[in-house]
Amino acid sequence: MIDTALHQGRRRKMTKGLTAKNTYNENVISAMSVVPRHAFVSAGLDNMAYEEKPLAIACGQTISQPSTVALQSHLLGEVKGKKILEIGTGCGYQTAVLLQMGAEVYTIERHKELCLVANSNLKKCGYDKAHLFLGDGHKGLAQFAPFDAIIVTCCAAAVPQGLTSQLATGGKMAIPVERENGEQMMVVITRVSEEVFEEEEIGKCSFVPMLEGVVK
Ligand code: SAH
């Protein structure tokens, strides 16, 4: 993986742009200032990797724009040393940011091709500790639950029960949910106790849909 002065300069500009517009946990920004985002986008998009835009990846999917990655990482609260479940590995960029923040990351992707892409992207950047799974994220990963936080990077039709049940007490889940008017809303669900969940609406957002089943 080659990280040129040009890439580093663009990355600095990206993180400056993020902090100029919003306040994020400091470790979110320090992680994003290290992770080489250009290594996660398709070869032809290298020069756009640090722009505030979602970009196309394989299988008709997208890598979320930098501010969305920053916001979702921020919404999870302290992740260092915590066990996190991510739904929608995509190209693996968000996974890398969470690993760089010191989290233990379990991540599920429904496209086999993207699992392979993410695995290769993460390895070439030296992130060899991610737990990657091919599967349907609606079910989570019961065998590794509970998770201290859950991040869903695709838009759910409704909050999947299979996921809330795998959230540890005190844990937070950041999930885009489609509302009746078709708009997508970023929602944070906090498991206050075994039985009690609190929901907070953060703001409108735009994600690819969370779909059923696996594509091999
Ligand atoms: N976190 C990613 C964002 C990828 S876009 C990144 O940093 O690049 C969202 C991803 O969610 C897509 O790759 C899509 O295939 C995946 N996805 C959609 N529905 C899913 C499901 N039910 N289970 C797992 N992954 C899913």
Side-chain angles (χ1 to χ4, degrees):
M1 196 275 302
I2 301 162
D3 192 24
T4 64
L6 190 62
H7 291 128
Q8 291 165 28
R10 288 178 181 154
R11 196 154 64 242
R12 261 195 303 279
K13 206 171 153 202
M14 173 189 80
T15 48
K16 259 188 152 179
L18 290 171
T19 47
K21 285 204 191 118
N22 250 307
T23 309
Y24 303 100
N25 294 333
E26 207 180 293
N27 50 356
V28 172
I29 297 302
S30 15
M32 290 181 72
S33 64
V34 173
V35 179
R37 188 170 156 93
H38 64 278
F40 291 84
V41 303
S42 310
L45 298 175
D46 181 284
N47 61 346
M48 291 171 80
Y50 294 97
E51 291 179 18
E52 179 50 21
K53 284 183 186 148
L55 297 174
I57 54 173
C59 307
Q61 304 303 310
T62 51
I63 172 174
S64 301
Q65 63 206 62
S67 61
T68 303
V69 174
L71 175 66
Q72 282 201 288
S73 307
H74 171 83
L75 291 173
L76 299 179
E78 178 61 80
V79 301
K80 194 169 183 203
K82 302 276 176 74
K83 190 164 72 168
I84 313 291
L85 174 64
E86 177 191 26
I87 310 300
T89 319
C91 63
Y93 176 69
Q94 174 74 71
T95 315
V97 170
L98 292 171
L99 287 166
Q100 185 65 42
M101 288 170 76
E104 184 186 2
V105 187
Y106 291 77
T107 180
I108 313 177
E109 171 56 53
R110 67 186 285 274
H111 282 280
K112 186 173 182 188
E113 187 182 337
L114 283 172
C115 280
L116 298 173
V117 167
N119 186 41
S120 140
N121 287 344
L122 287 161
K123 291 255 161 74
K124 75 181 173 200
C125 297
Y127 297 104
D128 51 9
K129 292 211 172 84
H131 306 286
L132 301 171
F133 296 85
L134 173 67
D136 182 343
H138 288 93
K139 301 183 192 127
L141 284 173
Q143 67 273 43
F144 299 105
F147 294 95
D148 299 309
I150 300 179
I151 174 170
V152 181
T153 68
C154 41
C155 183
V159 178
Q161 291 302 306
L163 291 182
T164 44
S165 65
Q166 292 179 19
L167 196 57
T169 300
K172 286 183 189 300
M173 168 155 68
I175 179 170
V177 183
E178 190 174 337
R179 296 303 192 205
E180 269 169 25
N181 60 6
E183 277 177 3
Q184 297 186 8
M185 180 57 71
M186 180 65 71
V187 173
V188 170
I189 296 167
T190 306
R191 186 167 200 166
V192 183
S193 68
E194 184 65 25
E195 305 290 332
V196 182
F197 294 86
E198 267 173 20
E199 209 175 296
E200 186 190 352
E201 291 194 340
I202 305 299
K204 282 190 214 167
C205 57
S206 176
F207 284 81
V208 294
M210 183 172 187
L211 301 172
E212 306 271 342
V214 167
V215 185
K216 287 198 177 157

mmCIF file with all atom_site columns, all heavy atoms in Angstrom, residues 188-205:
data_model
loop_
_atom_site.group_PDB
_atom_site.id
_atom_site.type_symbol
_atom_site.label_atom_id
_atom_site.label_alt_id
_atom_site.label_comp_id
_atom_site.label_asym_id
_atom_site.label_entity_id
_atom_site.label_seq_id
_atom_site.pdbx_PDB_ins_code
_atom_site.Cartn_x
_atom_site.Cartn_y
_atom_site.Cartn_z
_atom_site.occupancy
_atom_site.B_iso_or_equiv
_atom_site.pdbx_formal_charge
_atom_site.auth_seq_id
_atom_site.auth_comp_id
_atom_site.auth_asym_id
_atom_site.auth_atom_id
_atom_site.pdbx_PDB_model_num
ATOM 1   N N   . VAL A 1 188 ? -30.152 6.205  17.004 1.00 0.00 ? 188 VAL A N   1
ATOM 2   C CA  . VAL A 1 188 ? -29.268 5.565  17.989 1.00 0.00 ? 188 VAL A CA  1
ATOM 3   C C   . VAL A 1 188 ? -30.152 4.885  19.028 1.00 0.00 ? 188 VAL A C   1
ATOM 4   O O   . VAL A 1 188 ? -31.034 5.516  19.625 1.00 0.00 ? 188 VAL A O   1
ATOM 5   C CB  . VAL A 1 188 ? -28.317 6.571  18.660 1.00 0.00 ? 188 VAL A CB  1
ATOM 6   C CG1 . VAL A 1 188 ? -27.584 5.918  19.841 1.00 0.00 ? 188 VAL A CG1 1
ATOM 7   C CG2 . VAL A 1 188 ? -27.296 7.078  17.665 1.00 0.00 ? 188 VAL A CG2 1
ATOM 8   N N   . ILE A 1 189 ? -29.928 3.594  19.206 1.00 0.00 ? 189 ILE A N   1
ATOM 9   C CA  . ILE A 1 189 ? -30.693 2.835  20.192 1.00 0.00 ? 189 ILE A CA  1
ATOM 10  C C   . ILE A 1 189 ? -29.755 2.478  21.339 1.00 0.00 ? 189 ILE A C   1
ATOM 11  O O   . ILE A 1 189 ? -28.679 1.910  21.105 1.00 0.00 ? 189 ILE A O   1
ATOM 12  C CB  . ILE A 1 189 ? -31.272 1.563  19.549 1.00 0.00 ? 189 ILE A CB  1
ATOM 13  C CG1 . ILE A 1 189 ? -32.276 1.975  18.467 1.00 0.00 ? 189 ILE A CG1 1
ATOM 14  C CG2 . ILE A 1 189 ? -31.929 0.651  20.583 1.00 0.00 ? 189 ILE A CG2 1
ATOM 15  C CD1 . ILE A 1 189 ? -32.686 0.872  17.555 1.00 0.00 ? 189 ILE A CD1 1
ATOM 16  N N   . THR A 1 190 ? -30.135 2.841  22.544 1.00 0.00 ? 190 THR A N   1
ATOM 17  C CA  . THR A 1 190 ? -29.315 2.514  23.715 1.00 0.00 ? 190 THR A CA  1
ATOM 18  C C   . THR A 1 190 ? -30.051 1.461  24.523 1.00 0.00 ? 190 THR A C   1
ATOM 19  O O   . THR A 1 190 ? -31.244 1.619  24.820 1.00 0.00 ? 190 THR A O   1
ATOM 20  C CB  . THR A 1 190 ? -29.092 3.771  24.587 1.00 0.00 ? 190 THR A CB  1
ATOM 21  O OG1 . THR A 1 190 ? -28.550 4.803  23.757 1.00 0.00 ? 190 THR A OG1 1
ATOM 22  C CG2 . THR A 1 190 ? -28.116 3.494  25.733 1.00 0.00 ? 190 THR A CG2 1
ATOM 23  N N   . ARG A 1 191 ? -29.366 0.382  24.850 1.00 0.00 ? 191 ARG A N   1
ATOM 24  C CA  . ARG A 1 191 ? -29.985 -0.640 25.705 1.00 0.00 ? 191 ARG A CA  1
ATOM 25  C C   . ARG A 1 191 ? -29.752 -0.224 27.158 1.00 0.00 ? 191 ARG A C   1
ATOM 26  O O   . ARG A 1 191 ? -28.664 -0.386 27.708 1.00 0.00 ? 191 ARG A O   1
ATOM 27  C CB  . ARG A 1 191 ? -29.387 -2.020 25.453 1.00 0.00 ? 191 ARG A CB  1
ATOM 28  C CG  . ARG A 1 191 ? -30.127 -3.096 26.225 1.00 0.00 ? 191 ARG A CG  1
ATOM 29  C CD  . ARG A 1 191 ? -29.768 -4.486 25.760 1.00 0.00 ? 191 ARG A CD  1
ATOM 30  N NE  . ARG A 1 191 ? -30.813 -5.427 26.164 1.00 0.00 ? 191 ARG A NE  1
ATOM 31  C CZ  . ARG A 1 191 ? -30.915 -6.651 25.692 1.00 0.00 ? 191 ARG A CZ  1
ATOM 32  N NH1 . ARG A 1 191 ? -30.061 -7.109 24.818 1.00 0.00 ? 191 ARG A NH1 1
ATOM 33  N NH2 . ARG A 1 191 ? -31.893 -7.437 26.109 1.00 0.00 ? 191 ARG A NH2 1
ATOM 34  N N   . VAL A 1 192 ? -30.761 0.334  27.761 1.00 0.00 ? 192 VAL A N   1
ATOM 35  C CA  . VAL A 1 192 ? -30.646 0.884  29.106 1.00 0.00 ? 192 VAL A CA  1
ATOM 36  C C   . VAL A 1 192 ? -30.622 -0.244 30.144 1.00 0.00 ? 192 VAL A C   1
ATOM 37  O O   . VAL A 1 192 ? -29.914 -0.185 31.145 1.00 0.00 ? 192 VAL A O   1
ATOM 38  C CB  . VAL A 1 192 ? -31.824 1.846  29.385 1.00 0.00 ? 192 VAL A CB  1
ATOM 39  C CG1 . VAL A 1 192 ? -31.688 2.478  30.758 1.00 0.00 ? 192 VAL A CG1 1
ATOM 40  C CG2 . VAL A 1 192 ? -31.901 2.916  28.313 1.00 0.00 ? 192 VAL A CG2 1
ATOM 41  N N   . SER A 1 193 ? -31.401 -1.277 29.900 1.00 0.00 ? 193 SER A N   1
ATOM 42  C CA  . SER A 1 193 ? -31.409 -2.456 30.769 1.00 0.00 ? 193 SER A CA  1
ATOM 43  C C   . SER A 1 193 ? -31.800 -3.647 29.901 1.00 0.00 ? 193 SER A C   1
ATOM 44  O O   . SER A 1 193 ? -32.039 -3.497 28.708 1.00 0.00 ? 193 SER A O   1
ATOM 45  C CB  . SER A 1 193 ? -32.421 -2.279 31.909 1.00 0.00 ? 193 SER A CB  1
ATOM 46  O OG  . SER A 1 193 ? -33.727 -2.288 31.371 1.00 0.00 ? 193 SER A OG  1
ATOM 47  N N   . GLU A 1 194 ? -31.900 -4.810 30.508 1.00 0.00 ? 194 GLU A N   1
ATOM 48  C CA  . GLU A 1 194 ? -32.268 -6.019 29.769 1.00 0.00 ? 194 GLU A CA  1
ATOM 49  C C   . GLU A 1 194 ? -33.509 -5.782 28.891 1.00 0.00 ? 194 GLU A C   1
ATOM 50  O O   . GLU A 1 194 ? -33.547 -6.152 27.722 1.00 0.00 ? 194 GLU A O   1
ATOM 51  C CB  . GLU A 1 194 ? -32.535 -7.130 30.802 1.00 0.00 ? 194 GLU A CB  1
ATOM 52  C CG  . GLU A 1 194 ? -32.836 -8.500 30.234 1.00 0.00 ? 194 GLU A CG  1
ATOM 53  C CD  . GLU A 1 194 ? -31.664 -9.129 29.463 1.00 0.00 ? 194 GLU A CD  1
ATOM 54  O OE1 . GLU A 1 194 ? -30.499 -8.772 29.726 1.00 0.00 ? 194 GLU A OE1 1
ATOM 55  O OE2 . GLU A 1 194 ? -31.949 -9.968 28.591 1.00 0.00 ? 194 GLU A OE2 1
ATOM 56  N N   . GLU A 1 195 ? -34.505 -5.100 29.486 1.00 0.00 ? 195 GLU A N   1
ATOM 57  C CA  . GLU A 1 195 ? -35.796 -4.929 28.803 1.00 0.00 ? 195 GLU A CA  1
ATOM 58  C C   . GLU A 1 195 ? -35.981 -3.565 28.140 1.00 0.00 ? 195 GLU A C   1
ATOM 59  O O   . GLU A 1 195 ? -36.814 -3.422 27.262 1.00 0.00 ? 195 GLU A O   1
ATOM 60  C CB  . GLU A 1 195 ? -36.949 -5.075 29.836 1.00 0.00 ? 195 GLU A CB  1
ATOM 61  C CG  . GLU A 1 195 ? -36.935 -6.374 30.630 1.00 0.00 ? 195 GLU A CG  1
ATOM 62  C CD  . GLU A 1 195 ? -37.297 -7.563 29.759 1.00 0.00 ? 195 GLU A CD  1
ATOM 63  O OE1 . GLU A 1 195 ? -38.036 -7.365 28.772 1.00 0.00 ? 195 GLU A OE1 1
ATOM 64  O OE2 . GLU A 1 195 ? -36.810 -8.674 30.057 1.00 0.00 ? 195 GLU A OE2 1
ATOM 65  N N   . VAL A 1 196 ? -35.251 -2.549 28.617 1.00 0.00 ? 196 VAL A N   1
ATOM 66  C CA  . VAL A 1 196 ? -35.554 -1.178 28.181 1.00 0.00 ? 196 VAL A CA  1
ATOM 67  C C   . VAL A 1 196 ? -34.552 -0.655 27.136 1.00 0.00 ? 196 VAL A C   1
ATOM 68  O O   . VAL A 1 196 ? -33.337 -0.685 27.360 1.00 0.00 ? 196 VAL A O   1
ATOM 69  C CB  . VAL A 1 196 ? -35.586 -0.212 29.400 1.00 0.00 ? 196 VAL A CB  1
ATOM 70  C CG1 . VAL A 1 196 ? -35.953 1.210  28.960 1.00 0.00 ? 196 VAL A CG1 1
ATOM 71  C CG2 . VAL A 1 196 ? -36.562 -0.725 30.451 1.00 0.00 ? 196 VAL A CG2 1
ATOM 72  N N   . PHE A 1 197 ? -35.105 -0.182 26.005 1.00 0.00 ? 197 PHE A N   1
ATOM 73  C CA  . PHE A 1 197 ? -34.304 0.391  24.922 1.00 0.00 ? 197 PHE A CA  1
ATOM 74  C C   . PHE A 1 197 ? -34.746 1.837  24.714 1.00 0.00 ? 197 PHE A C   1
ATOM 75  O O   . PHE A 1 197 ? -35.940 2.115  24.664 1.00 0.00 ? 197 PHE A O   1
ATOM 76  C CB  . PHE A 1 197 ? -34.511 -0.397 23.629 1.00 0.00 ? 197 PHE A CB  1
ATOM 77  C CG  . PHE A 1 197 ? -33.986 -1.805 23.688 1.00 0.00 ? 197 PHE A CG  1
ATOM 78  C CD1 . PHE A 1 197 ? -34.775 -2.833 24.204 1.00 0.00 ? 197 PHE A CD1 1
ATOM 79  C CD2 . PHE A 1 197 ? -32.710 -2.110 23.247 1.00 0.00 ? 197 PHE A CD2 1
ATOM 80  C CE1 . PHE A 1 197 ? -34.292 -4.137 24.265 1.00 0.00 ? 197 PHE A CE1 1
ATOM 81  C CE2 . PHE A 1 197 ? -32.225 -3.404 23.310 1.00 0.00 ? 197 PHE A CE2 1
ATOM 82  C CZ  . PHE A 1 197 ? -33.024 -4.426 23.822 1.00 0.00 ? 197 PHE A CZ  1
ATOM 83  N N   . GLU A 1 198 ? -33.791 2.755  24.601 1.00 0.00 ? 198 GLU A N   1
ATOM 84  C CA  . GLU A 1 198 ? -34.136 4.151  24.317 1.00 0.00 ? 198 GLU A CA  1
ATOM 85  C C   . GLU A 1 198 ? -33.723 4.470  22.886 1.00 0.00 ? 198 GLU A C   1
ATOM 86  O O   . GLU A 1 198 ? -32.657 4.043  22.434 1.00 0.00 ? 198 GLU A O   1
ATOM 87  C CB  . GLU A 1 198 ? -33.355 5.071  25.258 1.00 0.00 ? 198 GLU A CB  1
ATOM 88  C CG  . GLU A 1 198 ? -34.128 5.403  26.506 1.00 0.00 ? 198 GLU A CG  1
ATOM 89  C CD  . GLU A 1 198 ? -33.283 6.174  27.501 1.00 0.00 ? 198 GLU A CD  1
ATOM 90  O OE1 . GLU A 1 198 ? -32.256 6.765  27.104 1.00 0.00 ? 198 GLU A OE1 1
ATOM 91  O OE2 . GLU A 1 198 ? -33.645 6.146  28.688 1.00 0.00 ? 198 GLU A OE2 1
ATOM 92  N N   . GLU A 1 199 ? -34.578 5.232  22.191 1.00 0.00 ? 199 GLU A N   1
ATOM 93  C CA  . GLU A 1 199 ? -34.297 5.536  20.793 1.00 0.00 ? 199 GLU A CA  1
ATOM 94  C C   . GLU A 1 199 ? -34.155 7.038  20.605 1.00 0.00 ? 199 GLU A C   1
ATOM 95  O O   . GLU A 1 199 ? -34.982 7.798  21.104 1.00 0.00 ? 199 GLU A O   1
ATOM 96  C CB  . GLU A 1 199 ? -35.478 5.005  19.967 1.00 0.00 ? 199 GLU A CB  1
ATOM 97  C CG  . GLU A 1 199 ? -35.079 4.613  18.575 1.00 0.00 ? 199 GLU A CG  1
ATOM 98  C CD  . GLU A 1 199 ? -36.225 3.982  17.786 1.00 0.00 ? 199 GLU A CD  1
ATOM 99  O OE1 . GLU A 1 199 ? -36.699 2.900  18.181 1.00 0.00 ? 199 GLU A OE1 1
ATOM 100 O OE2 . GLU A 1 199 ? -36.629 4.590  16.789 1.00 0.00 ? 199 GLU A OE2 1
ATOM 101 N N   . GLU A 1 200 ? -33.115 7.453  19.897 1.00 0.00 ? 200 GLU A N   1
ATOM 102 C CA  . GLU A 1 200 ? -32.920 8.879  19.625 1.00 0.00 ? 200 GLU A CA  1
ATOM 103 C C   . GLU A 1 200 ? -32.731 9.077  18.118 1.00 0.00 ? 200 GLU A C   1
ATOM 104 O O   . GLU A 1 200 ? -31.946 8.356  17.486 1.00 0.00 ? 200 GLU A O   1
ATOM 105 C CB  . GLU A 1 200 ? -31.661 9.364  20.360 1.00 0.00 ? 200 GLU A CB  1
ATOM 106 C CG  . GLU A 1 200 ? -31.436 10.847 20.266 1.00 0.00 ? 200 GLU A CG  1
ATOM 107 C CD  . GLU A 1 200 ? -30.051 11.266 20.789 1.00 0.00 ? 200 GLU A CD  1
ATOM 108 O OE1 . GLU A 1 200 ? -29.331 10.427 21.365 1.00 0.00 ? 200 GLU A OE1 1
ATOM 109 O OE2 . GLU A 1 200 ? -29.692 12.429 20.604 1.00 0.00 ? 200 GLU A OE2 1
ATOM 110 N N   . GLU A 1 201 ? -33.473 10.038 17.561 1.00 0.00 ? 201 GLU A N   1
ATOM 111 C CA  . GLU A 1 201 ? -33.316 10.330 16.134 1.00 0.00 ? 201 GLU A CA  1
ATOM 112 C C   . GLU A 1 201 ? -32.221 11.366 15.965 1.00 0.00 ? 201 GLU A C   1
ATOM 113 O O   . GLU A 1 201 ? -32.256 12.431 16.576 1.00 0.00 ? 201 GLU A O   1
ATOM 114 C CB  . GLU A 1 201 ? -34.633 10.851 15.561 1.00 0.00 ? 201 GLU A CB  1
ATOM 115 C CG  . GLU A 1 201 ? -35.706 9.779  15.513 1.00 0.00 ? 201 GLU A CG  1
ATOM 116 C CD  . GLU A 1 201 ? -36.897 10.170 14.645 1.00 0.00 ? 201 GLU A CD  1
ATOM 117 O OE1 . GLU A 1 201 ? -37.070 11.390 14.404 1.00 0.00 ? 201 GLU A OE1 1
ATOM 118 O OE2 . GLU A 1 201 ? -37.633 9.264  14.222 1.00 0.00 ? 201 GLU A OE2 1
ATOM 119 N N   . ILE A 1 202 ? -31.240 11.069 15.119 1.00 0.00 ? 202 ILE A N   1
ATOM 120 C CA  . ILE A 1 202 ? -30.090 11.958 14.962 1.00 0.00 ? 202 ILE A CA  1
ATOM 121 C C   . ILE A 1 202 ? -30.283 12.915 13.790 1.00 0.00 ? 202 ILE A C   1
ATOM 122 O O   . ILE A 1 202 ? -29.974 14.097 13.879 1.00 0.00 ? 202 ILE A O   1
ATOM 123 C CB  . ILE A 1 202 ? -28.790 11.133 14.759 1.00 0.00 ? 202 ILE A CB  1
ATOM 124 C CG1 . ILE A 1 202 ? -28.608 10.142 15.922 1.00 0.00 ? 202 ILE A CG1 1
ATOM 125 C CG2 . ILE A 1 202 ? -27.574 12.027 14.593 1.00 0.00 ? 202 ILE A CG2 1
ATOM 126 C CD1 . ILE A 1 202 ? -28.472 10.772 17.295 1.00 0.00 ? 202 ILE A CD1 1
ATOM 127 N N   . GLY A 1 203 ? -30.784 12.396 12.682 1.00 0.00 ? 203 GLY A N   1
ATOM 128 C CA  . GLY A 1 203 ? -30.988 13.250 11.501 1.00 0.00 ? 203 GLY A CA  1
ATOM 129 C C   . GLY A 1 203 ? -31.138 12.414 10.248 1.00 0.00 ? 203 GLY A C   1
ATOM 130 O O   . GLY A 1 203 ? -30.917 11.202 10.273 1.00 0.00 ? 203 GLY A O   1
ATOM 131 N N   . LYS A 1 204 ? -31.516 13.087 9.177  1.00 0.00 ? 204 LYS A N   1
ATOM 132 C CA  . LYS A 1 204 ? -31.717 12.379 7.905  1.00 0.00 ? 204 LYS A CA  1
ATOM 133 C C   . LYS A 1 204 ? -30.387 11.860 7.378  1.00 0.00 ? 204 LYS A C   1
ATOM 134 O O   . LYS A 1 204 ? -29.332 12.449 7.646  1.00 0.00 ? 204 LYS A O   1
ATOM 135 C CB  . LYS A 1 204 ? -32.319 13.333 6.876  1.00 0.00 ? 204 LYS A CB  1
ATOM 136 C CG  . LYS A 1 204 ? -33.794 13.553 7.070  1.00 0.00 ? 204 LYS A CG  1
ATOM 137 C CD  . LYS A 1 204 ? -34.341 14.302 5.867  1.00 0.00 ? 204 LYS A CD  1
ATOM 138 C CE  . LYS A 1 204 ? -35.444 15.236 6.288  1.00 0.00 ? 204 LYS A CE  1
ATOM 139 N NZ  . LYS A 1 204 ? -35.807 16.186 5.253  1.00 0.00 ? 204 LYS A NZ  1
ATOM 140 N N   . CYS A 1 205 ? -30.457 10.777 6.598  1.00 0.00 ? 205 CYS A N   1
ATOM 141 C CA  . CYS A 1 205 ? -29.232 10.211 6.049  1.00 0.00 ? 205 CYS A CA  1
ATOM 142 C C   . CYS A 1 205 ? -29.548 9.479  4.755  1.00 0.00 ? 205 CYS A C   1
ATOM 143 O O   . CYS A 1 205 ? -30.715 9.402  4.357  1.00 0.00 ? 205 CYS A O   1
ATOM 144 C CB  . CYS A 1 205 ? -28.594 9.270  7.068  1.00 0.00 ? 205 CYS A CB  1
ATOM 145 S SG  . CYS A 1 205 ? -29.685 7.951  7.608  1.00 0.00 ? 205 CYS A SG  1
#
